[in-house]
Amino acid sequence: MPDVTFSTPLLHKNVTVYAVAGDTHTILAVAEANKIPIPHDCKDGECGSCLIEVMPLDDKTMGAMLTEKEKAQLKSMGKISNDEIRRAEVDDIPPKYRLACQYVVRDQDILVTFTGEPGGA
Ligand code: FES
C-alpha cells in the first residue's frame, strides 16, 4: 500500500495516509476521505482548482497516466509544457503539477503539496 503524504499551510503538520493501490481512487478522493482540504469544484478535470504538486518519495518508475482533460487544463494554466507531457508519456518522468481529481493513486509513495488556494499548488 502506498503512502500519500499531504502538505499544506492549512494543516498544522503533514498528514500521511495509506492508500489502496490498484483501485480507482483519485488523490482528491483519498484527500476527501481523510478530511484533507484540497480545493476543488468540477471534479472532472475542467476547472483547475484542484492543482497539486506531486513528488515521488521512492525510486519506482511509473508512467504518469495523464488524462486528455488533465493535459489540456494544465497546459491552459501554464503548468505543463508539451515537452513535459512527452517526457511523462515516453520516458516515465512525472510532471511536477497534477490535478488531484484526475490523478489515480498508484503503488508509489508520494508527497502532495498544495497552498489551499484554488488552482494554487
Ligand atoms: Fe476541477 Fe479537479 S476539481 S479540475
Side-chain angles (χ1 to χ4, degrees):
M1 293 206 310
D3 288 350
V4 179
T5 300
F6 294 95
S7 180
T8 174
L10 302 179
L11 300 171
H12 295 298
K13 59 181 183 174
N14 290 357
V15 175
T16 299
V17 302
Y18 304 99
V20 179
D23 64 19
T24 57
H25 290 312
T26 63
I27 292 292
L28 183 58
V30 171
E32 285 186 310
N34 291 280
K35 303 193 184 329
I36 307 293
I38 296 178
H40 60 276
D41 187 8
C42 71
K43 293 187 177 179
D44 196 29
E46 295 182 342
C47 71
S49 61
C50 66
L51 184 71
I52 54 173
E53 194 173 327
V54 179
M55 181 189 304
L57 296 177
D58 58 33
D59 293 332
K60 292 178 184 169
T61 301
M62 299 241 165
M65 310 271 287
L66 292 149
T67 66
E68 292 304 315
K69 280 185 179 178
E70 184 175 21
K71 284 187 272 188
Q73 183 60 39
L74 289 173
K75 280 178 73 173
S76 77
M77 298 170 77
K79 294 297 185 181
I80 198 167
S81 66
N82 287 334
D83 208 38
E84 287 172 298
I85 291 172
R86 186 194 58 75
R87 286 199 301 265
E89 294 180 339
V90 177
D91 302 326
D92 291 339
I93 297 172
K96 181 176 181 180
Y97 295 104
R98 300 296 303 265
L99 297 177
C101 72
Q102 299 293 294
Y103 185 121
V104 174
V105 175
R106 320 230 9 233
D107 188 17
Q108 182 174 45
D109 297 343
I110 56 173
L111 173 65
V112 173
T113 59
F114 60 99
T115 63
E117 295 295 320

